[in-house]
Amino acid sequence: MREILPALERWYTARVPFGLATVVAVSRSAPRGPGAAMAVGPGDEVVGSVSGGCVEGAVFELAQEVVASGEARLATFGYSDEDAFAVGLTCGGEITLLVRAVTPASDPAFGRIAASVIAGEPVTAATVVDGPAPRGAVLAVWADAVVGTLGTSGLDAAVTADARGELALGATVLRHYGPQGQRREDTVSVFLQSFAPPPRMLVFGAIDYAAAVARMGDFLGYRVTVCDARPVFATPKRFPPGVEVVVDWPHRYLQSAGTDGRTVICVLTHDPKFDVPLLEEALRRPAAYIGAMGSRRTHDERRARLSRAGLSEAELSRLRSPLGLDLGARTPEEVAVSVAAEIVALRWGGSGTPLTLTTGAIHPPATS
């Protein structure tokens, strides 16, 4: 949704109806996850993708029908080898889409949701997918505000509570309720799509490798900060546009920086006087990934220093060192690819094994 939001906001502001198809459920080896979106606007302009090309033609026609009728539709696409010309997913997975028409009249909250996403303000959009509630109805939930309704006050209250919980986690899920929000019933399906601010990547050590890692982090959608105590190296001109550059002692900056369960920390300082106090701080705070550069000898010496500083084995086990996957990388850019590969693998539970040597689904269900 973030990728196609500029076009959607333009159409919405111009009060031009458009069809919005959103992936609300997937199974097996589906090419795109929940939240992936495609929209059809004026002049048959298409933005986004829900399957990487497999079913976009059928979704285009469905979106046009929904705009014409004003009635939201639910559609499921899977794989079938019975008809070579059938519309389906060649990967063998299955996706369920909610396709609805969006206008200021049908979705008065959309404008505020779009503004919040663009401003980096956390918001969850809760949309009725199926059941005895108005399909396509949207409830927008912020930490301190709610706009819209899903049809009943009880359902609104239950969904609001869950939406705020998912927003804290940055999660997107499909939940089920009774018509009045009863949690032990599953007659109403509601898609909760959270738009949390981009996760942070903190890169310490303004060396050539840091520039490549920062560029890769920006490409992956992280909000990247590079920190180094040496002003001669920590200069914005050495890093990609949009990357924040801070001159400060690494451990001191980290003490004042907010981290959460999605934060990535890459320690490239390669100097004990910087990286040991920095890792003492990092390994005692929430983060999704904490990696440190260095040889195996450097790693052993660093680990011994951290142990003497009082870190427990559980805390030390969080450290990915030497950081990155074994790709045979040599250049800063190649090393950045290996670091990014490890971050992605850790996020989704991947093994890092070549796919030619694995079996089963390429995209197993996410565990978190």
Side-chain angles (χ1 to χ4, degrees):
M1 182 70 77
R2 293 180 189 274
E3 301 166 359
I4 67 175
L5 194 56
L8 305 190
E9 187 183 36
R10 185 175 72 251
W11 298 337
Y12 188 84
T13 301
R15 307 185 73 83
V16 178
F18 60 88
L20 178 61
T22 305
V23 178
V24 297
V26 302
S27 66
R28 301 190 297 278
S29 186
R32 301 293 303 274
M38 168 182 160
V40 179
D44 293 341
E45 182 180 354
V46 178
V47 293
S49 171
V50 292
S51 74
C54 296
V55 302
E56 269 67 8
V59 175
F60 173 81
E61 295 180 359
L62 186 56
Q64 289 182 315
E65 294 173 6
V66 165
V67 170
S69 68
E71 296 182 3
R73 299 265 298 274
L74 199 62
T76 298
F77 296 92
Y79 174 77
S80 173
D81 57 5
E82 297 177 358
D83 183 351
F85 297 99
V87 175
L89 301 179
T90 58
C91 62
E94 185 175 278
I95 60 173
T96 298
L97 307 175
L98 175 66
V99 188
R100 62 190 182 94
V102 178
T103 67
S106 66
D107 189 352
F110 186 87
R112 286 191 58 181
I113 294 172
S116 290
V117 174
I118 292 172
E121 180 184 9
V123 60
T124 295
T127 309
V128 174
V129 172
D130 202 8
R135 178 177 288 165
V138 177
L139 182 74
V141 181
W142 290 264
D144 57 357
V146 177
V147 174
T149 181
L150 303 183
T152 67
S153 59
L155 183 58
D156 288 347
V159 171
T160 296
D162 288 345
R164 285 176 174 151
E166 302 300 344
L167 187 58
L169 300 173
T172 290
V173 297
L174 184 66
R175 288 195 175 276
H176 306 279
Y177 307 87
Q180 295 295 328
Q182 301 94 325
R183 298 184 183 278
R184 294 189 178 184
E185 297 185 24
D186 58 1
T187 55
V188 179
S189 299
V190 180
F191 184 61
L192 305 180
Q193 186 171 12
S194 297
F195 297 95
R200 299 197 69 184
M201 173 182 280
L202 305 178
V203 182
F204 295 96
I207 60 177
D208 289 345
Y209 290 96
V213 170
R215 188 175 298 109
M216 185 62 70
D218 181 67
F219 176 74
L220 292 176
Y222 288 91
R223 181 163 62 93
V224 183
T225 298
V226 176
C227 175
D228 197 303
R230 302 164 296 181
V232 67
F233 294 114
T235 61
K237 66 181 181 181
R238 299 185 65 232
F239 297 93
V243 171
E244 180 187 27
V245 180
V246 174
V247 179
D248 199 351
W249 278 82
H251 74 282
R252 186 168 61 191
Y253 174 74
L254 185 57
Q255 288 171 350
S256 64
T259 68
D260 58 27
R262 302 182 301 153
T263 303
V264 165
I265 299 174
C266 297
V267 179
L268 312 180
T269 45
H270 214 298
D271 185 331
K273 70 175 178 289
F274 290 123
D275 57 20
V276 170
L278 170 60
L279 287 169
E280 280 189 66
E281 178 68 27
L283 293 170
R284 287 171 170 157
R285 61 168 50 231
Y289 175 91
I290 304 171
M293 176 177 281
S295 66
R296 300 201 185 277
R297 177 179 177 180
T298 298
H299 166 73
D300 291 340
E301 293 175 349
R302 179 193 293 133
R303 199 177 192 282
R305 287 191 177 96
L306 290 169
S307 180
R308 289 195 295 271
L311 271 77
S312 67
E313 284 300 315
E315 290 168 333
L316 291 172
S317 68
R318 300 178 62 204
L319 178 61
R320 316 288 291 193
S321 174
L323 82 177
L325 296 186
D326 180 14
L327 305 183
R330 295 290 188 274
T331 68
E333 292 74 19
E334 291 174 343
V335 170
V337 170
S338 78
V339 173
E342 183 177 38
I343 291 171
V344 172
L346 188 63
R347 177 181 180 183
W348 297 111
S351 66
T353 304
L355 290 175
T356 55
L357 301 180
T358 65
T359 59
I362 295 176
H363 303 288
T367 56
S368 64

